[in-house]
Amino acid sequence: MIALVPLFPLAAAAILLSTGRRWRGASAGWLASFAVAASFAVALAELSSLLSKAAPARHVITTLYRWVAVGGFSVDISFRADPLSSVMTLVVSGVGLLIFVYAIGYMRGDPRFPRFFAHMSLFVFFMLVLVTAENFLLLYVGWEGVGLCSYLLIGFWFERPSAAAAAKKAFVVTRIGDTAFLLGILLIWAKVHSLDFEVVFHQAPALAGGTVTAIALLLLGGAVGKSAQLPLSTWLPDAMEGPTPVSALIHAATMVTAGVYLVVRAHAIYAATSAGTEAVALVGLITALYGGLSAIAQDDIKRALAYSTMSQIGFMFFGAGIGAPSLAIFLLVTHAIYKALLFMGAGSVIHGLHDEQDMMKMGGMRRAMPLTGVLWIAGAWAISGIPPFAGFFSKDEIISAASLSGHTVMWGFALVGAVLTAVYAWRATFMTFFGETRVEREPHESPAVMTGPMTLLAIGALLAGLLGLKATGGVLVRFLQPVVGLPPQAGQGLSESGLTVISTVLALVGFVVAWFVYGSGRFDWVALRVRLAGLKRAGMSAFYLDDVYATVIGGPAKLAAAFTAFAIDLRIIDGIVTWMARGVGMAAVYGRRVQSGLVRTYALVFLVGVVGVLWYVAVKI
């Protein structure tokens, strides 16, 4: 049954790509939405089937056919249904469905409306292949397909030079990580002689320490690229050039979560190397802080959410690296809900303000767009980690697990990240929905086809935390236990409840700071921007990481390309061809002189040739 989940979006994409011009109005959007809804229904049925089995037996492998069989190398088209893939398919198809319905209202009137939903459907298809694959090669097919579709969707409005450039940047930067991932797959085959998860994960503990560490780091390289973690994070903010539904899909339910899924799926490999797990935790924590600081400085509402995503994904990597992969998936689930809500809220504001994205030109939007304002605030409470919303149960669980697992220093920095999360979430809230209006055009509330999915997500942002409620034993954590084990349990030091109180209080501190600066009216935050102009510019440019790459990598690369083009291509390669042509031309010139047309000349040449041959024969004798 699990093999049917990716089939419906693929069918919708094929229909829309082949007959797109025949679809009128919103019918293409509803067809694509129906296909994703069918995938969600099958995923629910698969979940029900898994729950009917005993926990150790909750996995089913469906093999369709032998895909590759060359010598000793063989790979099947196989799909895996287990608790991890079940959770991921529900997130991708469930949140994706709401984004599809929202996009019907947001993209209405676009001349390429059917093509948009064809690409979105193809995107969901590849993501579902990625999370249900039973071997690394099939996972890699979904991995690369997601990258291709992100290029198509980020650059959907390709007539804009900035969108075309952003699409190319995303494609190129993620290819760096993808290359590392491919090398990791090749190393797995070289050492294990199989790409099936069951075989690889069973043999991982028996591999040499250096080998398993190399595999873990190569897989991490791929995950870092897809999930926009440092140092391959620069593509994500520029990806905001795509339509807002694309941003919601990429940031909430699909592409950026692929790296987290890969690390969690390969937890058996990381469990065999402490260096690999520490690298995952360190990359995640640094990115969480970096993304949080960058988000605070943004004026573009979508770019602020982009850096927020980078930071939240960093917390997921951090959770996986400290030995709590189930908590990383829990945060992935809740983040998919409230981040999709926030992106939809941003899209609703942009739609209501006729494509304005600058928060400096907003303010007081809750009066003109009351429903959008209420729903956005629900998402802001959730991402801040304040009870009873979802982020309190998921992100704070990861922060507490850092202390319980003995990562005390990292726990301290993670608390700083929690404060930053609340600050940037409520900064955007107060700048957009509170205070005096700074709008230049009259705003309007979005239609029900857009606010309806947002309302459902707001309910999810409130209730999704119940999946981790300790009173129920942590439903999601227990469900994932057969695949990824349990997170760190209470040990020495502060109790888990004490750690939770600390992180919650600090999240409230971040809220109070944001309110005092941007919402109380007692502080001139515009003047603060002027006084801290240098720091503001650094934050808006994400601390000049793009500039560093342009100087350190781009400059020398362009110089090398220019040298290669002028010295090697023009002078040597083209020079050889040119001189060969000139040599042929000169031979032709002298050849024409020999062909004089005079019989006596030909007879003389013949005589000289005969004499030469006779002389050669005489000398040899």
Side-chain angles (χ1 to χ4, degrees):
M1 186 181 294
I2 192 68
L4 295 176
V5 174
L7 179 63
F8 298 105
L10 177 62
I15 292 171
L16 292 175
L17 286 173
S18 59
T19 64
R21 294 184 179 181
R22 301 178 183 178
W23 295 85
R24 296 290 180 264
S27 55
W30 289 113
L31 171 67
S33 301
F34 175 79
V36 178
S39 294
F40 182 67
V42 175
L44 280 175
E46 190 64 45
L47 173 64
S48 176
S49 176
L50 290 176
L51 290 174
S52 66
K53 298 179 173 66
R58 284 178 180 167
H59 69 276
V60 178
I61 298 174
T62 303
T63 300
L64 299 185
Y65 61 91
R66 178 59 52 89
W67 180 19
V68 179
V70 179
F73 178 66
S74 63
V75 179
D76 297 329
I77 298 292
S78 297
F79 296 91
R80 183 182 187 87
D82 64 10
L84 180 56
S85 64
S86 180
V87 170
M88 292 301 298
T89 53
L90 288 171
V91 170
V92 173
S93 58
V95 177
L97 171 61
L98 297 178
I99 295 172
F100 271 56
V101 175
Y102 172 91
I104 293 172
Y106 191 90
M107 297 298 294
R108 180 166 294 170
D110 191 282
R112 296 189 294 272
F113 189 85
R115 182 188 299 178
F116 174 81
F117 279 96
H119 292 168
M120 290 274 280
S121 299
L122 198 61
F123 197 172
V124 171
F125 160 72
F126 280 117
M127 188 64 192
L128 289 172
V129 169
L130 190 157
V131 300
T132 57
E134 163 51 16
N135 57 70
F136 279 102
L137 191 58
L138 186 58
L139 188 154
Y140 188 74
V141 170
W143 190 273
E144 289 297 323
V146 167
L148 169 64
C149 293
S150 70
Y151 170 79
L152 297 174
L153 288 168
I154 294 170
F156 182 74
W157 288 325
F158 54 81
E159 60 273 11
R160 302 178 183 177
S162 57
K168 289 187 289 185
K169 183 176 182 179
F171 193 79
V172 171
V173 173
T174 55
R175 291 290 75 69
I176 299 172
D178 294 354
T179 301
F181 184 20
L182 182 59
L183 291 175
I185 293 174
L186 294 175
L187 184 56
I188 289 172
W189 168 254
K191 298 300 181 179
V192 182
H193 304 294
S194 176
L195 297 180
D196 291 343
F197 291 154
E198 294 280 353
V199 178
V200 174
F201 298 154
H202 178 72
Q203 295 189 22
L207 294 175
T211 299
V212 73
T213 299
I215 292 172
L217 294 179
L218 288 170
L219 296 183
L220 177 61
V224 161
K226 270 293 186 290
S227 293
Q229 300 292 282
L230 288 172
L232 301 178
S233 60
T234 55
W235 67 269
L236 191 63
D238 291 356
M240 296 302 98
E241 291 294 336
T244 299
V246 173
S247 303
L249 193 62
I250 288 177
H251 288 247
T254 56
M255 185 167 173
V256 295
T257 62
V260 180
Y261 170 78
L262 174 62
V263 171
V264 173
R265 174 58 78 187
H267 73 281
I269 293 175
Y270 287 94
T273 165
S274 59
T277 53
E278 291 297 326
V280 172
L282 192 61
V283 166
L285 184 58
I286 293 174
T287 306
L289 296 173
Y290 169 80
L293 290 171
S294 300
I296 291 174
Q298 303 304 312
D299 289 336
D300 185 302
I301 188 171
K302 286 179 64 177
R303 289 182 71 89
L305 291 177
Y307 285 108
S308 163
T309 297
M310 191 186 303
S311 179
Q312 295 297 298
I313 297 294
F315 276 110
M316 297 176 205
F317 272 77
F318 179 57
I322 61 174
S326 58
L327 296 182
I329 295 299
F330 185 22
L331 179 56
L332 185 153
V333 172
T334 58
H335 175 265
I337 295 171
Y338 58 67
K339 184 50 64 68
L341 172 60
L342 290 172
F343 264 108
M344 290 181 183
S348 181
V349 171
I350 294 167
H351 185 270
L353 288 176
H354 311 282
D355 297 328
E356 181 58 67
Q357 296 183 199
D358 189 350
M359 290 187 289
M360 292 296 294
K361 298 178 181 178
M362 297 179 185
M365 293 296 294
R366 76 185 191 281
R367 293 186 288 273
M369 306 179 69
L371 181 55
T372 296
V374 169
L375 298 174
W376 170 282
I377 290 172
W381 281 116
I383 196 175
S384 300
I386 297 173
F389 288 87
F392 167 74
F393 295 95
S394 55
K395 180 163 57 63
D396 285 3
E397 284 283 329
I398 289 178
I399 296 174
S400 298
S403 177
L404 297 174
S405 61
H407 295 81
T408 307
V409 175
M410 288 186 173
W411 170 69
F413 283 107
L415 290 176
V416 175
V419 176
L420 294 176
T421 300
V423 171
Y424 67 63
W426 287 100
R427 172 184 178 269
T429 302
F430 291 126
M431 287 185 67
T432 303
F433 293 97
F434 291 84
E436 297 298 323
T437 182
R438 301 179 297 276
V439 300
E440 298 178 352
R441 302 181 67 176
E442 189 64 26
H444 61 82
E445 185 61 274
S446 297
V449 72
M450 294 173 63
T451 57
M454 292 168 59
T455 303
L456 293 176
L457 287 169
I459 295 172
L462 175 61
L463 300 180
L466 298 178
L467 293 172
L469 196 63
K470 291 300 180 181
T472 61
V475 175
L476 184 60
V477 170
R478 287 191 294 107
F479 181 60
L480 292 171
Q481 180 182 352
V483 182
V484 297
L486 290 173
Q489 303 301 308
Q492 297 179 351
L494 294 174
S495 65
E496 190 170 356
S497 58
L499 295 169
T500 301
V501 169
I502 291 174
S503 58
T504 303
V505 169
L506 290 178
L508 289 172
V509 168
F511 165 77
V512 171
V513 169
W515 171 80
F516 180 74
V517 175
Y518 296 99
S520 67
R522 303 174 185 177
F523 196 90
D524 189 353
W525 57 270
V526 177
L528 180 65
R529 294 163 59 93
V530 176
R531 289 197 298 270
L532 302 177
L535 186 60
K536 171 69 175 176
R537 285 194 300 271
M540 286 191 68
S541 63
F543 303 99
Y544 307 108
L545 184 60
D546 263 321
D547 297 325
V548 170
Y549 286 164
T551 302
V552 176
I553 300 176
K558 290 180 179 179
L559 183 62
F563 173 79
T564 302
F566 181 77
I568 298 178
D569 187 46
L570 185 61
R571 297 294 182 183
I572 298 178
I573 298 177
D574 284 356
I576 292 174
V577 175
T578 300
W579 281 106
M580 288 179 63
R582 290 179 179 177
V584 172
M586 293 176 63
V589 169
Y590 289 109
R592 286 196 300 270
R593 293 179 181 177
V594 173
Q595 300 295 327
S596 62
L598 299 175
V599 175
R600 63 177 179 272
T601 302
Y602 297 156
L604 178 62
V605 172
F606 179 77
L607 179 61
V608 171
V610 171
V611 171
V613 171
L614 293 175
W615 179 81
Y616 175 77
V617 172
V619 169
K620 294 292 290 183
I621 294 175

